[in-house]
Amino acid sequence: MDVPAAANVLGTLGAVCWSIQLIPQIVINYRRHNATGLQPTMMMLWAWAGVPLGVYNIVEEFNLALRIQPQILTVLSLVTWIQCFYYEKRWSICRSLALVVPVMCLMGGVQAGLIFALRHAKERDMEWPLILMAVLAAALLAAGVGSHYVDIYLHRTVRGISFIFVAIDALGDVFSLLSVVFEPQIDALGMIIYGTELVLWMGVFACGAYYNLIPWLKRKYGKRIVPTSSDTAQTGDTTANTRTTSIALHDLPSSTSVFRTPSAELDVHRQRSAHSRMGSVVHLPSRVA
């Protein structure tokens, strides 16, 4: 359906949501002067995802908001990515800028070149280059979200994931998806790009319901299961092996990071434990001869 006003408004809302979900992380890193728990790989994947997504949206002549949206995603993702080096690896500002500025220029140059090339290909009725851009955009966005699935599978927990900002990101996908629907012609590949990430975020919410909501409901309304003697013996043998991983991880408070993953949360817990052990050794009273 062709509703230009609705397409622009929805596209703008999608761009705003994608900005809101990254800007707080940048501010958090700045205020606490660290980027503990963040995955630089995830940020870089999203930064590169903005390149084929921008190419596709511009060549397909989507509304202005959807053309600008990938540029916002790339810039904010790169800022978050370089913060990991600046704060965690103690890089200087000059060294950080010497890395991120050329990367940003490279991405901009690649996108500009591809836009000219794919416009020429489109004029010659070549469809596969645009299909390739759509596949790359969807794959890179999905790979960024997929890091959460790996950690959830390995640690059997969603502790550390901020579902508020996951919801904002997913809402950005919803608005962008609807914006594509209100374009003069419904673009199936554009819907697939935003729909793929939306489905993956919905899966993260499902994992949150499985690991957090359902156990909470069972504790509040369900019947407590009394363990048998055989169950007690089996669980007793495995408690020592899991105490330092899953149990410790579940006991951790929720993260103040936007995109911290369970494995990163576990790393933070280990770092804190190591610091506390070092502090206890330092403050031991000396023996009197």
Side-chain angles (χ1 to χ4, degrees):
M1 59 185 69
D2 185 4
V3 187
N8 277 286
V9 170
L10 291 168
T12 301
L13 290 174
V16 169
C17 287
W18 276 19
S19 300
I20 289 175
Q21 49 105 3
L22 275 175
I23 289 177
Q25 183 65 68
I26 295 172
V27 174
I28 287 172
N29 295 341
Y30 172 76
R31 287 181 175 178
R32 69 186 184 186
H33 300 293
N34 71 68
T36 304
L38 287 179
Q39 288 191 345
T41 304
M42 178 182 181
M43 294 299 106
M44 181 53 73
L45 286 170
W46 277 1
W48 275 109
V51 175
L53 181 59
V55 172
Y56 187 85
N57 289 0
I58 292 173
V59 175
E60 285 294 285
E61 299 180 351
F62 285 171
N63 60 78
L64 182 61
L66 288 184
R67 299 185 195 188
I68 297 175
Q69 180 194 67
Q71 323 311 324
I72 296 175
L73 174 65
T74 296
V75 171
L76 295 181
S77 296
L78 282 177
V79 172
T80 311
W81 172 72
I82 200 60
Q83 281 184 321
C84 297
F85 293 89
Y86 177 73
Y87 289 118
E88 297 306 309
K89 296 188 177 182
R90 307 301 180 190
W91 282 19
S92 65
I93 294 179
C94 292
R95 186 180 181 184
S96 300
L97 291 175
L99 175 63
V100 72
V101 171
V103 171
M104 190 177 297
C105 292
L106 173 64
M107 290 181 175
V110 169
Q111 183 175 139
L114 287 173
I115 289 171
F116 285 110
L118 266 68
R119 278 177 173 170
H120 181 65
K122 186 178 180 180
E123 291 174 355
R124 301 180 62 180
D125 295 328
M126 295 177 62
E127 296 183 358
W128 69 265
L130 275 175
I131 295 175
L132 178 60
M133 291 297 104
V135 171
L136 283 175
L140 290 170
L141 289 172
V145 182
S147 60
H148 289 297
Y149 279 86
V150 174
D151 281 339
I152 291 171
Y153 175 78
L154 292 175
H155 301 288
R156 301 297 194 273
T157 183
V158 292
R159 179 67 68 184
I161 297 176
S162 174
F163 284 95
I164 294 176
F165 292 98
V166 168
I168 293 173
D169 197 326
L171 198 59
D173 291 320
V174 172
F175 286 133
S176 301
L177 188 61
L178 292 174
S179 180
V180 174
V181 172
F182 283 105
E183 286 289 323
Q185 292 183 349
I186 296 180
D187 192 291
L189 290 176
M191 296 179 66
I192 290 173
I193 293 173
Y194 294 107
T196 299
E197 189 182 46
L198 176 61
V199 169
L200 290 175
W201 282 135
M202 291 174 63
V204 173
F205 274 112
C207 292
Y210 179 78
Y211 287 110
N212 286 355
L213 181 60
I214 293 177
W216 180 79
L217 292 174
K218 286 183 178 180
R219 286 195 301 269
K220 190 170 184 179
Y221 301 106
K223 296 180 180 179
R224 294 183 178 180
I225 302 175
V226 180
T228 62
S229 57
S230 60
D231 293 335
T232 304
Q234 292 177 358
T235 55
D237 295 336
T238 59
T239 300
N241 294 328
T242 59
R243 184 177 292 115
T244 58
T245 55
S246 297
I247 295 178
L249 190 58
H250 279 284
D251 292 338
L252 289 174
S254 296
S255 168
T256 55
S257 289
V258 176
F259 294 111
R260 181 178 290 180
T261 55
S263 63
E265 189 79 2
L266 183 57
D267 291 337
V268 173
H269 177 69
R270 288 170 177 168
Q271 291 175 9
R272 290 175 180 172
S273 300
H275 285 306
S276 63
R277 287 196 298 270
M278 291 175 63
S280 63
V281 171
V282 171
H283 289 93
L284 281 176
S286 58
R287 294 185 177 180
V288 179

